[in-house]
Amino acid sequence: KQYGLVHIDVAQLLRKQQQEKGKVLETVPLEWLGDEEICGIVGQRLRHIDCIRKGWVLDGFPNTPAQAEFLRQAHYWPTRLIHVQAPIEMVLSRTADRKVDPVTGAAYYHTPSNPTVAERVITADYDTVEKVKERYKLYSENVEYVLRCFPVVASTIPVDDEVTEIVQTIIAKVNKPLPTELAQSPEE
């Protein structure tokens, strides 16, 4: 928010599209959906005037080689690509407590304050230990290619600190000028 950019959460975009089409909200992870569908939704959102004027932050995208190629071929060039790398143990720990609201698709890591929602939240099928390990492996295989698609702007932040330190590291990465930006600076 401090940069005035449009935050685009791909999972929320998908839920919104499903609601608009009158579909039942699917509680499946994005990586189980087709790249063509996801790229179409993201591309449509990036063409909105607010994204064109303000710039954007994609949350959870690109995750696959096809999604990275889509950005390149559509000329949606990110100025920063930050990969927050969490070890499998941390991912398993976080997903062990996660519950999903089957009505809204929202994820909860603590008991929801609304008693109606608290009664209906469930553990998703894709949050079993085996499924999480399978998804993590797939993600790990794909992320290397995605990072190689945007080598000048890509960086990895290992998640081994407190959340505030991770956020500070991300802000520092965003604020640090890239060599290509320095070369364009009129001050030199």
Side-chain angles (χ1 to χ4, degrees):
K1 290 183 179 179
Q2 79 183 58
Y3 299 100
L5 303 169
V6 178
H7 176 241
I8 301 172
D9 182 320
V10 178
Q12 286 180 351
L13 274 180
L14 179 66
R15 280 194 293 275
K16 181 180 175 188
Q17 183 200 49
Q18 288 173 334
Q19 286 175 329
E20 288 171 356
K21 291 184 175 182
K23 290 183 181 178
V24 175
L25 291 175
E26 294 183 33
T27 55
V28 298
L30 285 175
E31 62 268 20
W32 291 358
L33 298 175
D35 286 324
E36 188 173 324
E37 179 181 6
I38 296 170
C39 290
I41 294 167
V42 170
Q44 183 179 17
R45 181 64 182 98
L46 291 176
R47 287 189 294 274
H48 286 192
I49 196 71
D50 61 339
C51 291
I52 294 168
R53 287 187 177 165
K54 297 178 180 181
W56 39 264
V57 173
L58 291 174
D59 186 346
F61 187 93
N63 279 329
T64 67
Q67 293 170 8
E69 286 299 326
F70 162 76
L71 286 177
R72 285 175 20 148
Q73 291 177 13
H75 301 284
Y76 294 123
W77 295 97
T79 57
R80 304 289 186 282
L81 191 143
I82 299 174
H83 169 229
V84 180
Q85 183 178 35
I88 184 66
E89 298 79 19
M90 181 181 288
V91 174
L92 289 170
S93 172
R94 285 195 43 112
T95 56
D97 297 330
R98 180 167 59 191
K99 304 288 185 208
V100 177
D101 181 349
V103 175
T104 64
Y108 293 90
Y109 294 89
H110 303 289
T111 304
S113 57
N114 181 322
T116 305
V117 175
E119 286 181 19
R120 70 178 181 231
V121 293
I122 59 171
T123 300
D125 293 339
Y126 56 81
D127 276 345
T128 64
V129 172
E130 296 79 27
K131 293 289 185 187
V132 171
K133 286 181 179 179
E134 178 183 314
R135 292 170 55 211
Y136 187 87
K137 181 179 182 288
L138 177 64
Y139 173 79
S140 297
E141 290 168 356
N142 286 329
V143 76
E144 291 305 318
Y145 180 86
V146 171
L147 295 172
R148 283 194 311 268
C149 278
F150 305 101
V152 175
V153 300
S155 55
T156 297
I157 298 173
V159 177
D160 53 8
D161 293 323
E162 294 297 317
V163 173
T164 54
E165 292 178 32
I166 295 166
V167 170
Q168 289 172 350
T169 304
I170 291 170
I171 290 170
K173 295 268 186 198
V174 170
N175 289 338
K176 182 179 179 187
L178 299 172
T180 54
E181 293 167 336
L182 290 173
Q184 297 173 13
S185 175
E187 297 169 5
E188 291 182 8

